[in-house]
Each structure stands twice: as C-alpha cells, then as structure tokens.
Amino acid sequence: MDITFKQVDYTYQANSPFEHKALKNLSFHLPGGSFTAIVGHTGSGKSTLLQHLNGLVRPTSGSVQIGEHTLEPKKKPKQAKELRKQVGIVFQYPEHQLFEETVEKDIAFGPRNFGVAEKEIAKRVKESAAAVGLDLSLLSRSPFELSGGQMRRVAIAGVLAVRPRVLVLDEPTAGLDPRGQQEIMDMFYRLHKEQQLTTILVTHSMEDALTYADHMLVLDKGEKYMEGTPVKVFQDRQALQQVQLDVPEIFQFLQKTSERFGKQVAYEGENVDRLAEQLADLAGDKHE
Amino acid sequence: MYAIEFKNVSFRYEEEQPYVLRNVSFQVEAGEWLAIIGHNGSGKSTIAKLMNGLLFPTEGEIIINGIPLNEENIWEIRRQVGMVFQNPDNQFVGTTVRDDVAFGLENRGVPRAEMMDRITSSLEQVRMQDYLLHEPYRLSGGQKQRVAIAGVLAISPSVIILDEATAMLDPLGRKEILDTVHHVQAAQQLGLITITHDLNEVMQAHRVLVMNDGEIWTTTVPRELVKRQTELQQIGLDVPFVTQLAHALERQGITLDEQPIDHEELLDALWTLHSNK
Ligand SMILES: Nc1ncnc2c1ncn2[C@@H]1O[C@H](COP(=O)(O)OP(=O)(O)OP(=O)(O)O)[C@@H](O)[C@H]1O
Ligand SMILES: Nc1ncnc2c1ncn2[C@@H]1O[C@H](COP(=O)(O)OP(=O)(O)OP(=O)(O)O)[C@@H](O)[C@H]1O
Ligand SMILES: [Mg+2]
Ligand SMILES: [Mg+2]
C-alpha cells in the first residue's frame, strides 16, 4: 500500500500552555512494498508520525493517505477497523500493547478481534510465536510475568498474527539480545520481501537502516531534514551530526582509517571480511 | 567491604516454578562499574530487583555496603540504591517531571532549599531542564529514559543500577548519558551496574558478568571476554564491531599483540605494523 503525507502538522495539547507542535509541514511518499527507515534525535516526532499510520491519531492539518484510506483533521476515517487490520504497529514499549491474561490470548487478540476462525487462530498463534523465537511453554504465562525481551517478542507475535499488509516498527529490537536482534530483523525483512509488505522502521541503529532499508527519512524537531537512500544520506556525515545523529560504525571507522593512513578508503558495501582484506593491504604497504 | 555482594543466591518466582537464578555469587566494589549481559530471560532484571529488595532470595544472601538485606532494613537499603527500570513508565510517580524527581529527594529527607538545586542540576545533566512541568507519561520514549536517569542522579545513591536504561536513546545520546553517569560514579566512588545488550557499552565497563540461563557463565574483563566470539554467539550474544574486525584480520594472517577494545586501539596496532614494514 502506498503511503503519502501531505503537509502534515500534528499538535499535542493544542490551545493549552503545553501546546507542542510535534510534526511540522511534513510531506513524503512511500511506494507500496518499500522499506523505509525513519531516524531522528530523541523527541523529533518519529513515534508521533507512526501513530498516524493506522489512524490512532489524525493530522491537525494536512492529510495522510494509506492505500485507499484517507486521514484528515476532524473527520473520522471511513473504515477505521479495516485500516487497523491492514496496518500492524509494534510500539516502542511492548507493555503498551499487552493486556490479556495469557500470552496465548494476547497473540490471539488481533485475529479474534478481526473475526478470524478459531482453528485458524490457533495455527497463527503457534506460527507467530515460532517466528519470534518464543518458547511455546510461555504461552500459558501472564504476559506481565515475562522478561523484557520476552514481552517484546509477544508484542511482535501479536502484530504478525493479524497478517498486516503494512508493518510499522518503532524500535522493534530494543530489549532483544544480540542474536534476537539479528533474527527478528531478518524475519521482518523476509516477510517484507516474500509478501511485498510496505515496511516502516523507526530505529536508532544506523546499521539496521543501512542493512535493511531502501529509503530513509531523517526528522529534526518535527520536520523532514533529509530523505534518500541510506548510502546517500550517510554520505553527508556533517549534516547528520548537526542534528545529533551519526553515520553507521563502519563509516566512522573507514573515515578514521582514511585519516590515519592518508589514503581514501570508501565504503563499498563491504562486510567485515572484505574490510579486513583492505586493512591488511593497507598495513602491508611499504612505508615511504 | 563491597558496595554489593551476592552470596550463593538462588531465586524462583513461585514455588512450583523452576529456579530462574541458581547459585549466583559476585561482588561489586565501590568505584567499580560492572556490566551484566545475557540472553533474554537469563535472569538479569531478576538480579536487579533482588538488589533493592523488590524480591527476596529464595536461598543465599545479598549484602549492600556491609548490611545484609532483609525485610526489616529494606527501606534503609533502598535509600542507598538508585535504580532505573527497563520500562520507565513503571517508575514514574509524580504528575510532573519536577515532582517526579522531587519524590526521591523527599523520601530521603533532603531539605527543601537544596531540593530545587538538585532537581535542576540533575535534569540539566540529562538535558531535560526545559521539561520541568511536563507530565512524564506525555514524553517521548527517549525523554522518559532521560528523566528516569535524572531521578537517580538527583538522590546521589551509593549504588546505581541501570537496567537497559538507555535502550531508547540515539547512539550519541546514549554515549553522552553514560559518560555523565560514569563521571558521577568515578567522582563519588559509587558502585555502578549496567544491564545492557549494547556491546560497545560493555567495552567501557571495568568488568563484565555474563548470565546464561539463570547461572553465571563467566565474570571477567571486557578485553578477555571478546576473545570468546564463537562461544558468546552460541549463548545468544555477540562481540562488537572492532572485535569482529580483529578476528577477520586474524583470518587474513594478521595477529595483533593485544585484543583491541575500540577503533583507536585497532588503528594504532595496524599503524605500528605498517610502520615496521
Ligand atoms: N502524549 C503527548 N502529549 C504531549 N506531548 C507529547 C506527547 N507525546 C509526545 N509528545 C512530545 O512530542 C515530541 C515528539 O515526541 P515523539 O514521541 O514523537 O518523539 P520520538 O521521535 O519518537 O522520540 P524518541 O526517540 O525519544 O522516542 C516530544 O517533544 C514529546 O515531548
Ligand atoms: N513476575 C514473574 N513471574 C514469573 N516469572 C518471571 C517473572 N518475571 C520474569 N520471569 C521469568 O524469569 C526469567 C528471568 O527473567 P528476567 O526478567 O530476570 O530476564 P532478563 O535477563 O532481564 O531478560 P531480558 O533481557 O529479556 O530483559 C525469565 O524466564 C522470565 O520469564
Ligand atoms: Mg519514540
Ligand atoms: Mg530484563
């Protein structure tokens, strides 16, 4: 599903002393089936933007188009439930989307709410739990008697079980152990490829933006600051540093290497082994 | 005397459930920074909750600044232990950022005149001074974590425990906040424990304790730990970028004298090799 923001403003607590414009004149277009990473400093408006995508909030002015659905100020979207079914959001803090008595009921909540048959629900619960690496012995537990990373996995499984067309992920790997981070990002990427899911990832990991996204949006104080492919965005380190961001660690390391050896070493999509070869060559060069 | 000492601590949440901690023993000295890592569900947050008496050991003993922790002295101990939870929403009590930070100070009987100073300076340390009258639950994810950390800095405890307290911050913000905490810790000789999945953060700690399935897998220094890349990957963990690179260089036939722990050390080593050619 295509997503288009047209001059979107969003204001919290309008007409109060705390009035805060969290999004300002935001316009962009994300084609269906694309994978977009959204980055920005603390408080730049990322989570606020995401909440527009399934109609949790509506723009204060401007409009948001998600496939057939249009969100405008003061107008209830026509098929709000359909929109929530098609757009699955994994929230920044998993506790915010857990509420049932057991893990199993929690994962089943979405599909049940959208009228999926019981037999199919049971199948989806098992599938989703497996997809996020959740031990089946935890299904009968209360979701609040889990570790942080286990809660995160339940929250993700609950979103997958609805089989959305658009995946919206707000820091989905925070709280996961290193293996979990890798496995779950790979799993999202596989779903994105196999089912052409439009995917929107808010992340503080520039590495994940570089590895998985084909498009990137940088926010600063509620405004669009940069947009383009990750490699293009990461070419302008100064611009990123001006808004308290930085390039992925491998770019930082390459820059330091270039400075140290007085020889330009550019990023060419290398993995650590390729980089090690380049470094071995550099170190092995005759000193002049 | 240690800031924190665990002696053969075992714990289970319910009698019929299996133990989630088995025979855990370790010490943290005053002025020391210990990082705790481990796969999801390995027992890290349970250790944190035992340290300030939110839970009590099923077996074994916990000693904070020389005082064995028990149900009678838990309030006394909590005054000395500043803890930030994995989800800051679970610890906000005030209706404004100011009141929230003030709460911990009132509890410790800090005089009113001093309170305002401490509130402002701790919020400045985390760059949240402009949010004094905001409601904590209306902040962004990272802003909440900053306020929760200010709450701990304000009370100047003798032990600080951060349970994934910077997970929602951008890399620069995370570095800045950790530097601040580290600075306070060194200046006041506090015991600091950070529970984290951030491998670069682990490298800055003095020592690291690795949990695996309720047991201590090892306690060592970061430089030694990262030599065990394959084993760490087997228990759901990994090593940072520099270590991965150092190991890849070994595969190219380049062996470094010492395991580098940051970019500079790795580049220094390569430069030395280069200059000696
Ligand atoms: N419910 C709310 N009421 C009032 N203001 C809010 C509310 N939620 C967020 N804000 C404010 O709006 C701004 C944007 O918040 P948002 O949560 O979108 O940021 P973010 O980019 O997701 O940040 P982070 O990386 O810290 O999660 C922040 O300054 C925040 O304080
Ligand atoms: N309130 C509870 N009741 C019962 N079991 C619990 C409770 N809280 C945690 N557990 C279980 O105890 C074990 C250890 O959990 P703990 O929260 O200490 O893990 P952790 O190492 O902090 O993991 P994470 O990295 O995911 O935060 C897990 O298997 C978890 O399911
Ligand atoms: Mg956010
Ligand atoms: Mg935990």
Side-chain angles (χ1 to χ4, degrees), chain B residues 119-192:
Chain B
I119 293 172
T120 356
S121 75
S122 64
L123 285 170
E124 271 166 10
Q125 282 179 300
V126 300
R127 296 183 193 264
M128 286 298 291
Q129 66 273 23
D130 295 339
Y131 291 81
L132 269 184
L133 297 178
H134 285 244
E135 295 168 79
Y137 82 94
R138 285 178 175 278
L139 296 172
S140 81
Q143 289 168 341
K144 285 179 183 175
Q145 289 199 317
R146 285 170 185 262
V147 171
I149 291 171
V152 164
L153 292 176
I155 59 175
S156 6
S158 61
V159 170
I160 294 184
I161 302 157
L162 304 181
D163 190 355
E164 296 187 40
T166 58
M168 297 300 173
L169 300 183
D170 42 275
L172 289 177
R174 189 176 297 176
K175 185 172 179 311
E176 193 183 274
I177 299 278
L178 272 177
D179 285 351
T180 303
V181 172
H182 186 196
H183 183 79
V184 171
Q185 179 251 342
Q188 303 178 12
Q189 287 293 295
L190 312 179
L192 172 63

Side-chain angles (χ1 to χ4, degrees), chain A residues 147-148, chain B residues 45 86 163-164:
Chain A
S147 80
Chain B
S45 297
Q86 213 163 344
D163 190 355
E164 296 187 40

Side-chain angles (χ1 to χ4, degrees), chain B:
Chain B
M1 187 178 81
Y2 294 109
I4 301 167
E5 186 171 14
F6 269 51
K7 278 189 181 166
N8 305 102
V9 171
S10 295
F11 178 81
R12 56 182 167 190
Y13 281 91
E14 307 277 350
E15 264 186 32
E16 65 279 13
Q17 281 178 5
Y19 279 89
V20 299
L21 292 180
R22 285 184 303 275
N23 209 18
V24 170
S25 299
F26 67 92
Q27 301 90 22
V28 182
E29 286 176 35
E32 189 181 31
W33 175 359
L34 176 77
I36 303 185
I37 62 174
H39 64 80
N40 290 139
S42 58
K44 304 179 298 298
S45 297
T46 306
I47 290 180
K49 289 176 196 154
L50 285 162
M51 272 185 275
N52 79 342
L54 277 173
L55 302 171
F56 288 95
T58 315
E59 283 151 41
E61 196 176 23
I62 296 167
I63 303 164
I64 310 277
N65 290 324
I67 309 168
L69 193 144
N70 58 43
E71 308 205 12
E72 277 89 71
N73 61 20
I74 135 159
W75 292 104
E76 179 47 35
I77 299 255
R78 275 192 199 158
R79 272 170 207 261
Q80 303 180 26
V81 179
M83 170 134 139
V84 180
F85 295 97
Q86 213 163 344
N87 180 346
D89 285 328
N90 296 340
Q91 73 189 107
F92 290 133
V93 283
T95 51
T96 65
V97 165
R98 185 187 62 194
D99 290 356
D100 197 76
V101 179
F103 182 80
L105 296 170
E106 275 166 5
N107 260 350
R108 286 166 180 79
V110 174
R112 270 232 161 269
E114 196 187 327
M115 251 169 66
M116 208 49 222
D117 276 353
R118 288 225 217 163
I119 293 172
T120 356
S121 75
S122 64
L123 285 170
E124 271 166 10
Q125 282 179 300
V126 300
R127 296 183 193 264
M128 286 298 291
Q129 66 273 23
D130 295 339
Y131 291 81
L132 269 184
L133 297 178
H134 285 244
E135 295 168 79
Y137 82 94
R138 285 178 175 278
L139 296 172
S140 81
Q143 289 168 341
K144 285 179 183 175
Q145 289 199 317
R146 285 170 185 262
V147 171
I149 291 171
V152 164
L153 292 176
I155 59 175
S156 6
S158 61
V159 170
I160 294 184
I161 302 157
L162 304 181
D163 190 355
E164 296 187 40
T166 58
M168 297 300 173
L169 300 183
D170 42 275
L172 289 177
R174 189 176 297 176
K175 185 172 179 311
E176 193 183 274
I177 299 278
L178 272 177
D179 285 351
T180 303
V181 172
H182 186 196
H183 183 79
V184 171
Q185 179 251 342
Q188 303 178 12
Q189 287 293 295
L190 312 179
L192 172 63
I193 293 187
T194 60
I195 296 172
T196 183
H197 293 298
D198 181 342
L199 302 166
N200 287 326
E201 179 180 326
V202 173
M203 300 313 285
Q204 299 172 40
H206 299 130
R207 280 191 308 139
V208 51
L209 184 160
V210 183
M211 288 299 296
N212 184 43
D213 200 14
E215 292 179 11
I216 295 184
W217 188 74
T218 190
T219 316
T220 181
V221 293
R223 206 187 288 278
E224 289 302 316
L225 179 74
V226 294
K227 291 182 181 161
R228 303 167 73 179
Q229 178 167 355
T230 320
E231 286 170 274
L232 285 168
Q233 285 168 341
Q234 278 161 2
I235 59 168
L237 304 176
D238 211 336
V239 294
F241 170 77
V242 237
T243 314
Q244 290 177 24
L245 198 49
H247 288 151
L249 279 163
E250 269 168 35
R251 293 194 286 274
Q252 298 287 328
I254 296 190
T255 314
L256 307 170
D257 294 341
E258 203 179 31
Q259 190 62 234
I261 60 168
D262 57 29
H263 293 185
E264 281 63 34
E265 285 192 11
L266 178 52
L267 283 170
D268 286 347
L270 285 171
W271 183 249
T272 310
L273 275 176
H274 173 72
S275 308
N276 292 342
K277 279 275 156 178

Side-chain angles (χ1 to χ4, degrees), chain A residues 11-53:
Chain A
T11 309
Y12 283 109
Q13 298 174 282
N15 309 319
S16 84
F18 293 104
E19 180 169 298
H20 179 78
K21 245 191 186 180
L23 298 179
K24 295 173 204 157
N25 196 25
L26 196 59
S27 301
F28 58 84
H29 173 75
L30 311 177
S34 57
F35 194 128
T36 304
I38 302 182
V39 305
H41 186 57
T42 299
S44 57
K46 305 178 297 295
S47 298
T48 306
L49 187 165
L50 293 193
Q51 290 176 53
H52 283 77
L53 295 172

